[in-house]
Amino acid sequence: MGNAIWTVAVGVALASVLAAAPAFAGFSVRDGRLVDACGEAFVARGVNLPHAWKPRATGKAIRQSAALGANAVRIVLSDGTRWRRTSPQAVRKILVQARRARQVVILEVHDTTGYGLEPEAAHIGSALAYWAKLEPVLRGQEDLVLVNIGNEPTAGATTPEQWLEAHRTAIIALRALGLRHTLVVDAHDYGQDRSGTMRDRAAQLFAADPLRNVVFDVHMYEAYGEAQAVERYLRAFETARLPLIVGEFGPDHRGQPVDEEAIFRLAGAMGVGYLGWSWSGNAQEVANLDLVERFDGRRLTPWGERFFYGPGGVRQTSRRSRVFSGCR
């Protein structure tokens, strides 16, 4: 199908879906903030869970991270391109477990990581068919689930314009599928946005969503080794009145320092959500990013101790959404 015909077809489908669909009470964006179904600002204080690689550990990790105070989990899924496909039935089970634990869920397709540099990485467009398969599971879960279209889906020779157009097309397509959830978009440059691509084009992309319901996600690793870099980036989104989360970060990355103290301090002061990478099971070269040892929430690593119990950490700053108590 030619591009012009495809664009018209998607536009017609999108208009009919938005006109016919009921107004679900779910997450939304208001005045640059992520707002839950109770109409209150929601600030994520959560963890990343490696479900695609360790699916049997997920249920326990949800329970234990919730017990430690996490109000959100970001779940690694696979569409089958690089790893074993996460089935709709598995996703449904995750959502039941998270609702029981009173945790908001960010679902992300990880197969897209590093497209443009890693030969095995999937283009973000390939994730759309997977989201279409998940749509029946996600329908009616708008108060619980945020849809992170693809993890770190641009790197290498991918240009800023390609990042913008790939995400614009994906957003329109997902709305045409009937997804009314808050959509989460990862930054260029393996999520770190060294080039400022997402920072400079976020307003354009936000405006491209007919629901104006997009949150932007930066991953703060070695590009944020100094507090000034952290503050400049967070302030740019604050000034633009656009919603931002730090979807991944750690105390360092492959031996390069990260100013995690600045992330904790500034995220707290500015009401920016954050999710630490990651619960457990990291490769040897980044094993110090494990929050707990051997998937056991009773055995915190030094990073886990800092993340949950340190100044500005989860125990001090996490607040659960009242959605789970009927907004009471």
Side-chain angles (χ1 to χ4, degrees):
M1 184 181 292
N3 287 341
I5 297 174
W6 183 89
T7 300
V8 171
V10 169
V12 171
L14 179 60
S16 63
V17 166
L18 295 181
F24 290 117
F27 279 96
S28 60
V29 172
R30 299 182 196 170
D31 195 27
R33 297 287 183 183
L34 178 64
V35 175
D36 67 17
C38 297
E40 298 174 342
F42 178 77
V43 181
R45 292 288 182 262
V47 299
N48 284 268
L49 302 184
H51 177 83
W53 310 305
K54 296 289 183 179
R56 295 182 180 178
T58 300
K60 180 181 177 183
I62 287 173
R63 294 191 302 272
Q64 290 189 331
S65 62
L68 286 165
N71 65 8
V73 283
R74 183 171 180 261
I75 307 287
V76 174
L77 306 179
S78 174
D79 66 7
T81 303
R82 300 173 74 170
W83 300 285
R84 184 174 180 178
R85 180 174 175 269
T86 310
S87 70
Q89 293 78 11
V91 174
R92 190 185 304 275
K93 183 177 180 180
I94 289 169
L95 300 189
V96 169
Q97 293 168 330
R99 194 176 288 278
R100 187 178 299 136
R102 299 185 298 145
Q103 285 183 323
V104 170
V105 179
I106 303 172
L107 299 176
E108 57 102 336
V109 176
H110 213 78
D111 308 73
T112 57
T113 305
Y115 181 80
L117 190 63
E118 299 184 26
E120 67 274 23
H123 185 272
I124 195 170
S126 72
L128 299 180
Y130 181 66
W131 289 119
K133 293 289 186 183
L134 291 185
E135 192 275 334
V137 174
L138 302 181
R139 191 185 309 138
Q141 303 286 345
E142 292 84 354
D143 66 334
L144 175 70
V145 175
L146 283 66
V147 172
N148 193 168
I149 304 172
N151 181 70
E152 301 179 359
T154 52
T158 306
T159 67
E161 289 69 30
Q162 288 170 327
W163 175 91
L164 177 65
E165 289 307 316
H167 283 94
R168 192 194 331 249
T169 300
I171 288 170
I172 293 171
L174 291 172
R175 296 304 186 209
L177 285 172
L179 287 175
R180 301 178 66 86
H181 304 68
T182 297
L183 301 178
V184 180
V185 168
D186 277 13
H188 189 31
D189 310 310
Y190 277 105
Q192 296 202 62
D193 211 25
R194 290 177 182 270
S195 61
T197 293
M198 184 171 79
R199 179 198 64 208
D200 296 342
R201 291 162 178 79
Q204 286 178 263
L205 194 58
F206 187 83
D209 178 16
L211 300 185
R212 305 295 193 272
N213 194 11
V214 178
V215 170
F216 298 93
D217 176 16
V218 65
H219 297 174
M220 289 191 161
Y221 291 116
E222 63 270 22
Y224 301 90
E226 297 182 356
Q228 296 93 324
V230 176
E231 183 164 11
R232 279 196 302 269
Y233 201 86
L234 299 187
R235 294 289 181 201
F237 279 80
E238 181 182 61
T239 299
R241 305 190 80 79
L242 291 169
L244 181 72
I245 60 172
V246 180
E248 296 182 17
F249 74 110
D252 62 65
H253 192 235
R254 301 180 186 276
Q256 298 299 309
V258 178
D259 195 337
E260 75 277 14
E261 297 303 327
I263 296 171
F264 284 117
R265 174 173 53 81
L266 291 165
M270 299 169 66
V272 173
Y274 65 66
L275 298 102
W277 186 274
S278 67
W279 185 246
S280 198
N282 285 289
Q284 185 60 41
E285 62 270 22
V286 286
N288 64 322
L289 295 180
D290 284 0
L291 291 159
V292 305
E293 296 178 7
R294 299 180 180 274
F295 293 90
D296 186 348
R298 300 166 299 180
R299 301 172 61 187
L300 296 177
T301 63
W303 170 223
E305 288 282 355
R306 172 64 190 90
F307 183 80
F308 288 106
Y309 290 104
V314 168
R315 299 295 288 191
Q316 282 190 1
T317 64
S318 179
R319 300 291 181 271
R320 297 199 188 279
S321 170
R322 291 196 300 119
V323 162
F324 303 109
S325 60
C327 298
R328 294 190 299 273

